[in-house]
Amino acid sequence: MSTEYYAVGKEKLLESLKSTDAGLSSEEAERRLQEFGPNELIEKKKISPLQIFFGQFKDIFVIMLLIAMAISIVIAFTRDAGEFVDAATIGAIIFLNAVVGFVQEYRSEKAMEAMKQLTAPKARVLRDGTEKLIPSREIVPGDIILLEAGDRVPADARLLEVVDMKTDEAVLTGESTAVAKKDVVVDAKTAVADRKNSVFMATHLTYGRGKAVIASTGMKTEFGKVAELVQAVEQTETPLKQKLTSFAKKLGIIIILVSTVIFFLELYEIFVVDAGANLEMAVSDIINAFETAIALAVSAVPEGLPAVVTVSLALGARELAKRKALIRRLSSAETLGATDIICSDKTGTLTKGEMTVRKIYVNDKMINVTGAGYEPKGEFLVNDVPIDPKKDVNLTLFLRAATLCSNASYDGTKVLGDTTEGALIVAAAKAGMKKPELEKDYLRIQEVPFTSERKRMTTVHTSPDGENFSYVKGAVELLLERSGHIIQDGKVIKLSKEKKEQVLKTNEDMANQALRVLAVAYKELPKTKTGEYDEESLERDLVFVGLAGMIDPPRDQAKSANEMCRKAGIKTVMITGDHKLTAVAIAKELTIMNEGDLAFTGAELDKMGDAEFDKIVEKAVVYARVSPEHKLRIVKALKDNGHIVAMTGDGVNDAPALKQADIGIAMGITGTDVTREAADMVLADDNFATIVTAVEGGRAIYDNIRKFSFFLLRSNFDELLVIGVFALLGPFMGWEQMILPLTPAMILWINLVTDGGPALALSMDPPQEDLMSRKPRDPNEGILHGRFASILATFVTQFLGTGVLFAIAYFVWGRSLAEAQTMAFVQATMQELLIVWNCRSETKSAFRLSFTSNKFLLVAVVVSAILTILVPSTGLLGTTPLNLEDWALVLPISFSGLLIMPEVFYNRKVWRWR
């Protein structure tokens, strides 16, 4: 099996493979099948669904909730049956998160299955000197295969015979147009995309036919190498996952420390202050102290946070789907908001993937053609002034000749056949010249097809006047050599040397603008007796008409979308399989590439060491003619430099980089199943502008996650402080029983009912006006960055409100414990429902934001407030009815929640919570 089979002659390769033009014998093929193995992709040992499911419970937040659930169950059996409700609620939350995580991860393991479906199921080979159709998995090195237009290539092979062959290799190399194949020898260092003498597994023939010898099979093929890369790339944690993990660790440490301190302080009370107590009472007090500390820890865990995060991401994903961005992994919705570099494919993403005529040179005039893609709308401009193409004789002749000398078809929306021919037909349609109507008036009577050797195509037509004409299109230099005249102002004149040089200079200028240039010529033919013309007479002494320059143009929205990226602090990097000149031209037109920016080819990257590449990667904005390994290297280098990278792609060659990136984005229309399975997000419209829209949505999602995380933390720790202080006061004050401002049932109500609705409503908060004018957030910045001072102020305010109110009602006014607890419960609940309004912004208080801009929050707060007001009258949770005097004290204290304004406390460097 030759590793550089493309760099040797056919005879030498056949000799090294021990094969002949007649193919292998059946016995030899069977022997090689045993030696080399089946021609199929080998999948590494898969993770079982059970392993994936149980892997969801390794998350630190889930572990905290599991511990909290276990403790609740123990307390329920030993002291308070009401804890069963808490345990059941936490268990439901854990199960919900496990199921969602399982579904996402299980789906992400499907990339290899999709790759297998791209390989050819059958192949035509020569065995024992005769043609046979066999399963492609039985192909072996040395087999001779026969290929025709429409066939999918079963394995990597070196061409032995080529007849006008073109292959579509976009799935492997990203090349936007069909690749013409030749029977030549290429250099050993030639990149995959430039190996004109080879065909590759999973690509297919669009034109012609050929014969080839198999050189590599299975995982040794270029396609197999990509499959290996896809499996080798490990899925990294999203920034949100990292932040939540860090947040959970710090939260867990604080909860454990506070609960431990309280427990040891109570032990101090038992053994030092009450040293005279008997052993039986001491044991009982120790058990009570331990249960109190555990209960405090459980109450401090924000049970609703994982559930609200999951729901928030799901709602965000639904909103993004409406904008044509389909999220495959929920956490990726937020990752978009952290993205600071978008590595985008060119063809079909930044451009339409549809060749378009941009310039036509006729009669010494350069005519600009507007419009993009296959939509028949556009104008013809000379010096920016519109002209009527039907009144320009030279332009009309050019468009008629170019349209008739083609085999592509156009139905008004899409092109069938060669995209270059399609571009010419669409240009004619913009001038009101439709190919079916032209073909009726100018009946085709003969054709000399295009070949890679001839570099031209000729058709012969009979005009409505009965005259015969040959229309020729092809390479500029070649048609100029065969032309003796040129048409100017509707008249045929001698083609002078100066005029030739002028045309060649124009051709060079157009090529330097990355335009693909074709020339068009014609010839009036004499009538023949046989009706047939020989090739030489058709293509000799032509009348040169003009040039057409075409390119796959940028999408209309791509430039404005890139400007929005720049404003938002996001850098766009173009990575494409196309030629460097074309890539640079498009990048400059989209303002992706500016002065000082660099562009590299895959071959240039191969010459760089990692240290050198790390230095220039920040300045490079265009990479052309790159392989899957190059794309992977680029993404890794950017991530190593601390960037959050989004990567787009449509072909199999993009799959490894998509999987390596922080967020992989696949094309929904032109993308393969492989890229869609490897990606985190799929663009339903293949449009770069949709990525920018999704980034905006991702930023809004992360902002809202920060909002409700902030709210839930503020709402949970005040309970820990209030309960902890009163638990400690008991022994010192000589209380015969523990007197707490809130019961476990009340705490559960506050955590789930009071906090749950508003927290969920915060996940639907409308985005701030400056969302896309901010720079991307610091990847090292914590989920509650800048908000610790506000959290601290909330703790103190809520502690004073709930604790002091309870103390006044119970110790000063002499109310019963149930009455005092009811007042404390109502105050704590109402205060949190007012605090939530100051969680919507980091820099604007509730009084500077509209209370009706988030109708979900308004409804959630009103409903929670009504339920809270009704609870005392029902006796639920151990409450008792309140009188007007009670309400007159409770409500004013509750309104202190509106006074903790974010603009006062944001970014006060009390402590950086990461």
Side-chain angles (χ1 to χ4, degrees), residues 28 53 82 95 177 188 210 227 285 301 331 335 341 351 484 486 639 741-742:
E28 177 61 16
F53 181 75
F95 183 74
T177 56
D285 288 343
V301 176
S331 57
T335 307
I341 288 185
T351 65
I486 188 169
K639 288 182 69 175
L742 299 170

Side-chain angles (χ1 to χ4, degrees), residues 5 194 222 387 408 468 500 575:
Y5 55 88
D194 296 318
E222 297 300 328
I387 64 168
N468 289 350
K500 277 188 178 183
I575 305 178

Side-chain angles (χ1 to χ4, degrees), residues 544-760:
F544 195 86
V545 181
L547 310 175
M550 60 199 78
I551 197 171
D552 177 14
R555 288 178 178 270
D556 295 334
Q557 314 97 317
K559 187 170 183 178
S560 59
N562 182 59
E563 287 301 320
M564 190 179 293
C565 280
R566 194 185 303 278
K567 185 179 177 183
I570 301 169
K571 177 182 175 182
T572 305
V573 175
M574 181 192 291
I575 305 178
T576 178
D578 268 353
H579 291 276
K580 184 176 180 179
L581 186 64
T582 305
V584 167
I586 295 295
K588 286 181 177 178
E589 188 169 344
L590 290 172
T591 67
I592 289 173
M593 189 171 192
N594 298 288
E595 190 174 348
D597 292 331
L598 303 177
F600 295 98
T601 63
E604 290 170 333
L605 291 184
D606 287 334
K607 297 175 183 177
M608 293 184 196
D610 290 339
E612 183 183 358
F613 182 55
D614 286 342
K615 290 179 182 178
I616 62 93
V617 72
E618 297 290 346
K619 292 184 179 180
V621 294
V622 173
Y623 297 94
R625 305 302 276 174
V626 292
S627 68
E629 290 85 356
H630 294 137
K631 294 182 179 184
L632 203 56
R633 186 183 179 191
I634 294 164
V635 172
K636 281 182 177 179
L638 290 170
K639 288 182 69 175
D640 289 344
N641 282 9
H643 295 289
I644 303 297
V645 182
M647 171 77 190
T648 75
D650 52 7
V652 172
N653 61 316
D654 297 316
L658 260 62
K659 200 170 177 184
Q660 176 70 44
D662 292 292
I663 177 162
I665 304 171
M667 302 299 108
I669 299 173
T670 59
T672 62
D673 288 340
V674 179
T675 49
R676 284 192 286 267
E677 291 295 344
D680 305 292
M681 185 176 86
V682 178
L683 299 183
D685 59 358
D686 289 14
N687 195 339
F688 180 80
T690 302
I691 303 175
V692 182
T693 302
V695 168
E696 183 177 10
R699 288 190 175 189
I701 290 169
Y702 184 74
D703 274 5
N704 288 345
I705 289 174
R706 274 175 56 86
K707 291 173 188 177
F708 63 67
S709 298
F710 178 45
F711 170 62
L712 287 175
L713 190 64
R714 294 172 86 180
S715 302
N716 273 57
F717 264 65
D718 67 301
E719 298 151 15
L720 179 66
L721 188 60
V722 169
I723 299 297
V725 168
F726 276 83
L728 290 174
L729 283 175
F732 289 99
M733 301 299 292
W735 298 338
E736 294 182 1
Q737 62 177 11
M738 189 176 294
I739 300 171
L740 300 178
L742 299 170
T743 66
M746 290 175 180
I747 293 173
L748 181 63
W749 176 280
I750 294 172
N751 285 357
L752 297 179
V753 180
T754 303
D755 298 346
L760 190 59

Side-chain angles (χ1 to χ4, degrees), residues 384-396:
D384 296 327
V385 178
I387 64 168
D388 184 350
K390 291 184 178 179
K391 293 181 180 179
D392 189 311
V393 178
N394 296 68
L395 179 57
T396 301

Side-chain angles (χ1 to χ4, degrees), residues 200-319:
F200 308 100
M201 177 189 273
T203 63
H204 67 274
L205 270 68
T206 59
Y207 197 82
R209 56 189 172 85
K211 181 179 179 182
V213 57
I214 297 295
S216 302
T217 59
M219 297 300 285
K220 297 294 185 181
T221 62
E222 297 300 328
F223 195 72
K225 293 174 186 176
V226 175
E228 196 163 348
L229 284 175
V230 169
Q231 295 185 86
V233 175
E234 294 184 6
Q235 199 77 39
T236 56
E237 286 189 342
T238 65
L240 176 62
K241 179 75 172 175
Q242 294 170 1
K243 294 305 166 198
L244 286 176
T245 300
S246 175
F247 172 63
K249 285 179 180 178
K250 289 180 171 60
L251 184 62
I253 291 169
I254 291 172
I255 291 171
I256 291 169
L257 284 175
V258 172
S259 300
T260 303
V261 168
I262 290 173
F263 176 64
F264 278 104
L265 284 174
E266 292 204 6
L267 288 182
Y268 172 81
E269 177 70 15
I270 293 168
F271 289 106
V272 178
V273 179
D274 298 333
N278 60 51
L279 181 61
E280 184 178 343
M281 185 178 293
V283 171
S284 177
D285 288 343
I286 291 171
I287 294 172
N288 286 336
F290 180 74
E291 289 183 347
T292 300
I294 294 301
L296 286 172
V298 172
S299 71
V301 176
E303 296 95 335
L305 183 59
V308 177
V309 169
T310 299
V311 173
S312 174
L313 291 172
L315 291 173
R318 187 182 69 175
E319 186 61 31

